[in-house]
Amino acid sequence: MTTALEALEHYDPEIYELIRQEKARQSGAIRLIPSENYVSRAVMAATGSVLTNKYAEGYPHKRYYEGQEVTDLIEDLARERAKKVFKADHANVQPYSGSVANLGAYLGLAQPGDTICGLLLTDGGHLTHGWKMSFTSKTFNSIQYRLDPKTGRFDMDHIRETAKEVKPKIIISGATAYPREIDFKAFGEIAKEVGAYHVSDIAHIAGLVVGGVHQSPVPFADVVSTTTHKTLRGPRGGLLLCKEEHAKNVDRAVFPGLQGGPHMHTITAIAVALAEADTPEFGNYAQQIVKNARAMAEKLLELGFELVSGGTDNHLILIDLRNKDIPGRKLAKALNKARIVSNCNTIPDDPAPPFNPSGLRIGTPSITTRGMKEEQAKQVAEFINKVVENVDNEDMLEKIGQEVLMLCSHFPVPDHFIVPENQK
Ligand code: DSN
């Protein structure tokens, strides 16, 4: 019997070859984009399964089409696993992505035109936290709060003052480029003080929350939103968790409010990823992500780099490159030539424009999945420093790339396949 990939090679050699090239790129590079990861073979198999063939509008046991004997069981399992690992009352596993999940959260709690209050994109928030170009600011009245530019951290007094002044219907906690632990309890208290709902977007740190190395927002938020493919290490998708009192409205906001048929192959793979996350091995993985980020941050500081907030508590480091006099985009491109993949990023109160910002965002979820530890994290910091010192020297970048390739060869992308004890 031919495998799925062999069939693809036969029927579409052009796409097969491009997939082969992307696989080689992913294994022959140190991937530091903090929102990326490598999924297990089990998650990959579920994503590429026959569940892609099925329409399932509605929710389990209340569907619009027939033939849901299996899909209902799968979605029930995914929801139960999500509720278990996040200790939540209710889970909705249908959002196609984090953006749709966020909009589902807002529309489940508020009406178009209501005021929402989230972190400014250029200070580390997400587009869908109310950025001026996003549908979230076109649908809602968006007032954005800032980080403290001196500390690079949330300033809870400023957030409280802003909330008291604008009286939002929803306060959003969460970020995409924030290297410190977020005090969700404090956000919950401010929301209560001003009579707002609290929506927490944990897309970046969901795996750290499940692994017990970051405070969970579940007890302090009305709705928690996440993607499933970052530190949580599942397929690309979205997930909403909420208190029972909001379950009906959140479900209605997702379907039929925003979406049609759920992507059942993704939901199947989310169920697999959640079973993997519900293991002691995953807790160790989450701990190691943070240890690796700390080790990398310490080495970078030693090498004279300036880090926003002075370090990290989570999976992510934001380098302020102004003392190195290299624009973020230029460095990200030079690093890519040396097989180190990152992204340029704004820093809080960045004087430079978002398309060519002053920062570089890096993170450790992917290298940790490859089995790298603190020693390799420090080595990666040294590679970054070498690239900075040779940013215009193509021969040196090529040479550093060969050293990176050597390190990668010692840490092959694993076909990790975690089977929970109770399912062996
Ligand atoms: N694009 C994601 C990130 O890289 O953080 C956020 O959606």
Side-chain angles (χ1 to χ4, degrees), residues 35 126 176 204 230 361:
S35 46
H126 188 253
T176 64
H204 265 257
K230 298 184 173 102
R361 190 182 70 150

Side-chain angles (χ1 to χ4, degrees), residues 31 188 299 352 359:
R31 298 169 65 227
K299 191 71 197 174

Side-chain angles (χ1 to χ4, degrees), residues 11 95 106 114 134 156 209 246 293 296 304 309 319 382 385 421:
Y11 288 108
Y106 307 157
D114 284 345
S134 153
M156 299 318 290
V209 169
H246 300 306
M296 197 181 285
S309 84
I319 306 178
E382 277 164 1
N385 190 45
E421 276 305 315

Side-chain angles (χ1 to χ4, degrees), residues 295-322:
M296 197 181 285
E298 274 163 26
K299 191 71 197 174
L300 287 167
L301 288 168
E302 240 176 81
L303 292 165
F305 285 89
E306 283 182 7
L307 307 184
V308 170
S309 84
T312 181
D313 298 326
N314 57 23
H315 64 303
L316 180 151
I317 297 166
L318 191 54
I319 306 178
D320 178 345
L321 290 165
R322 286 176 299 178

